[in-house]
Amino acid sequence: EMVSDGETGLLRPTGDVDGLTRAMLELAADEGLRRRLGEAGRQRSRQMFSVARHVDQMETVLESVAR
C-alpha cells in the first residue's frame, strides 16, 4: 500500500539481487530522486494513515454495525 514503484520508492521482485543493486546505486547517485521519492512517501503516509482518516474509517464501520 505504501510504496508505489517510481512514485514513493523503487520496488524490485523478490530475489532480484541485480535489480536491487541497481536501484540502490541509482538512489545513492541521485539526490533529487531520493528527495522526490521521500517527499511523495511522506505525503502518501499523511493521506493514507492519518488519525483523521482512521477515525473516519472507524465511524463508517461502527455506523454499518449499528444499522
Side-chain angles (χ1 to χ4, degrees), residues 22-40:
R22 284 191 302 275
M24 291 173 68
L25 290 171
E26 181 180 3
L27 287 169
D30 190 338
E31 181 181 354
L33 178 61
R34 291 192 309 270
R35 288 181 184 274
R36 183 176 60 79
L37 295 175
E39 181 57 33

Side-chain angles (χ1 to χ4, degrees), residues 20-63:
L20 179 60
T21 301
R22 284 191 302 275
M24 291 173 68
L25 290 171
E26 181 180 3
L27 287 169
D30 190 338
E31 181 181 354
L33 178 61
R34 291 192 309 270
R35 288 181 184 274
R36 183 176 60 79
L37 295 175
E39 181 57 33
R42 277 188 290 282
Q43 291 296 327
R44 178 172 281 181
S45 177
R46 288 182 186 127
Q47 292 169 353
M48 294 182 68
F49 303 106
S50 70
V51 172
R53 181 175 168 123
H54 285 287
V55 169
D56 289 343
Q57 290 172 336
M58 286 303 299
E59 284 178 348
T60 300
V61 169
L62 293 173
E63 287 172 358

